[in-house]
Amino acid sequence: MWFILPVIIVAAVIALLCLTVRIVPQANTYVVERLGRYHKTLQAGFHLILPLVDRVSRKIVIMEQVADFAPQPVITKDNVTMRIDTVLYYRVIDPKLYAYGVDNPLAALELLTSTTVRNIIGELELDETLTSRELINNSMRTSLEKATEAWGIQTTRVELKNITPPAAIQDAMEKQMKAERERREAILIAEGEKQAAILVAEGKKQSAILNAEGEKEAEILRAEAAKQSAILRAEAAGEAAVREAEGHGKAIVLLQEANAEGIDALNQKRPSAEVLQLKSLEAFAKAADGKATKIIIPSEIQSLAGLLTTVKELGAPDTAAQQ
């Protein structure tokens, strides 16, 4: 039996060490009481306490936590009962106040959230409640921060998870939204038809303007073409007249040159008087050509024998024609 005593001593030492050593995990704190009164708060890490004198009364998580509360009925300012589901985000900032400030802090938070929601929603009408979630969230967070500060709790966020109005209200709201959507659809259709009519009218207007401008341009081009054509015809006629005059002038010049050459030739050959008289008669015959009604005979050739007979023969057809 002699070996039992050492075993008991070793077991007692191990038990004392277990009661003395405390290792606090990260994001946790331990509240230590000494002889039933608050002594200190142990943060994360290794700690030693007095066995049988100190004890850990509360283990508190200091991470941010979320509390999802059950839906609760709330009455709005216009006497509409709806159910609201809230979500609360909080964290412990003072473990001592959290441990000794209120009994069952989570239940206290739920009841405080419920009463705060009723107070805020009771001042709003149904439409404001459905469209003012951000305002309600901020108001609730401000109210809860003031109330939970004495409990060592910091409220970080409050969210309205669900807002469920009565079935009759939901049906009326759906009908209202359907009517509103139909109204907007009718307005959009009317606006579209209006814009289409305006665009069609603008298109016709632009088409008429372009057609008129096109006709105007065409008339201008036709007038310009006619003007250019008349100018070209006048220039061509003038050019032709000039060419014809030049041709007549050249013909006269050539005829005069030919006559001059003939005279020169006669002068060179020295013709007799009888030959000259004969040529004169031939010239008068060509001048008459059967068409002349009057012929003036030079005095130099009046003495020619048989001249009167020749003149009568030349003038006889014209006389007969006049009769």
Side-chain angles (χ1 to χ4, degrees):
M1 299 296 294
W2 58 270
F3 60 90
I4 296 178
L5 184 58
V7 173
I8 294 173
I9 293 173
V10 172
V13 171
I14 293 174
L16 287 174
L17 289 175
C18 292
L19 294 175
T20 302
V21 176
R22 287 290 183 269
I23 298 176
V24 181
Q26 184 67 35
N28 285 263
T29 58
Y30 289 177
V31 177
V32 178
E33 294 180 351
R34 176 169 292 178
L35 300 176
R37 297 182 62 181
Y38 172 78
H39 176 56
K40 63 180 178 179
T41 300
L42 302 182
Q43 303 297 329
F46 178 82
H47 299 276
L48 296 175
I49 62 175
L50 297 177
L52 304 178
V53 176
D54 298 337
R55 75 179 186 91
V56 177
S57 61
R58 295 289 298 271
K59 295 180 180 181
I60 302 172
V61 178
I62 60 174
M63 290 187 298
E64 186 174 4
Q65 302 180 64
V66 57
D68 188 1
F69 301 132
Q72 54 185 330
V74 179
I75 300 176
T76 62
K77 186 177 180 180
D78 49 355
N79 295 324
V80 177
T81 302
M82 61 177 61
R83 299 181 67 83
I84 295 182
D85 186 5
T86 57
V87 178
L88 178 66
Y89 296 86
Y90 69 96
R91 65 188 183 90
V92 178
I93 58 175
D94 192 333
K96 178 182 178 181
L97 293 178
Y98 184 79
Y100 303 104
V102 64
D103 186 23
N104 196 349
L106 189 59
L109 280 175
E110 183 177 3
L111 293 175
L112 181 60
T113 303
S114 176
T115 56
T116 304
V117 169
R118 287 191 177 97
N119 291 335
I120 295 174
I121 299 299
E123 297 177 357
L124 301 175
E125 295 183 354
L126 176 62
D127 293 338
E128 294 177 335
T129 302
L130 296 176
T131 58
S132 304
R133 288 199 176 198
E134 189 66 25
L135 176 62
I136 296 172
N137 293 338
N138 293 333
S139 299
M140 289 179 60
R141 184 174 58 82
T142 302
S143 300
L144 290 174
E145 280 182 351
K146 294 179 181 180
T148 59
E149 186 177 358
W151 302 342
I153 298 174
Q154 181 185 23
T155 303
T156 57
R157 292 183 64 184
V158 181
E159 297 289 343
L160 297 182
K161 185 178 179 182
N162 291 313
I163 300 178
T164 307
I169 300 296
Q170 289 185 10
D171 186 50
M173 292 172 61
E174 290 177 359
K175 291 180 180 179
Q176 180 182 1
M177 291 302 299
K178 182 179 179 182
E180 181 66 20
R181 286 193 295 269
E182 291 177 352
R183 184 183 70 84
R184 291 180 181 178
E185 180 182 3
I187 291 174
L188 290 176
I189 292 174
E191 288 290 337
E193 293 177 352
K194 175 183 176 182
Q195 292 296 328
I198 292 173
L199 291 175
V200 171
E202 289 289 338
K204 291 182 178 179
K205 176 182 176 182
Q206 293 296 328
S207 177
I209 292 173
L210 292 176
N211 289 334
E213 291 179 353
E215 290 294 332
K216 179 181 177 182
E217 292 292 335
E219 290 294 333
I220 292 173
L221 291 176
R222 284 196 290 269
E224 289 289 337
K227 177 182 177 182
Q228 293 295 329
S229 177
I231 291 172
L232 292 176
R233 284 197 298 270
E235 291 178 352
E239 186 71 20
V242 170
R243 295 292 177 86
E244 184 177 0
E246 290 178 353
H248 284 297
K250 289 181 179 180
I252 292 171
V253 171
L254 292 175
L255 180 60
Q256 293 297 331
E257 290 179 354
N259 291 332
E261 290 177 357
I263 292 171
D264 291 338
L266 289 174
N267 291 330
Q268 291 177 2
K269 291 184 179 183
R270 299 181 180 275
S272 63
E274 292 78 6
V275 173
L276 293 176
Q277 292 177 357
L278 182 60
K279 291 294 183 179
S280 299
L281 290 176
E282 291 178 356
F284 276 108
K286 292 181 179 180
D289 197 18
K291 299 179 181 179
T293 57
K294 293 180 180 182
I295 300 175
I296 299 173
I297 303 173
S299 59
E300 290 81 2
I301 61 173
Q302 290 181 358
S303 60
L304 294 176
L307 180 60
L308 181 59
T309 303
T310 305
V311 171
K312 290 181 177 179
E313 289 178 356
L314 294 174
D318 293 336
T319 306
Q322 288 178 357
Q323 293 178 353

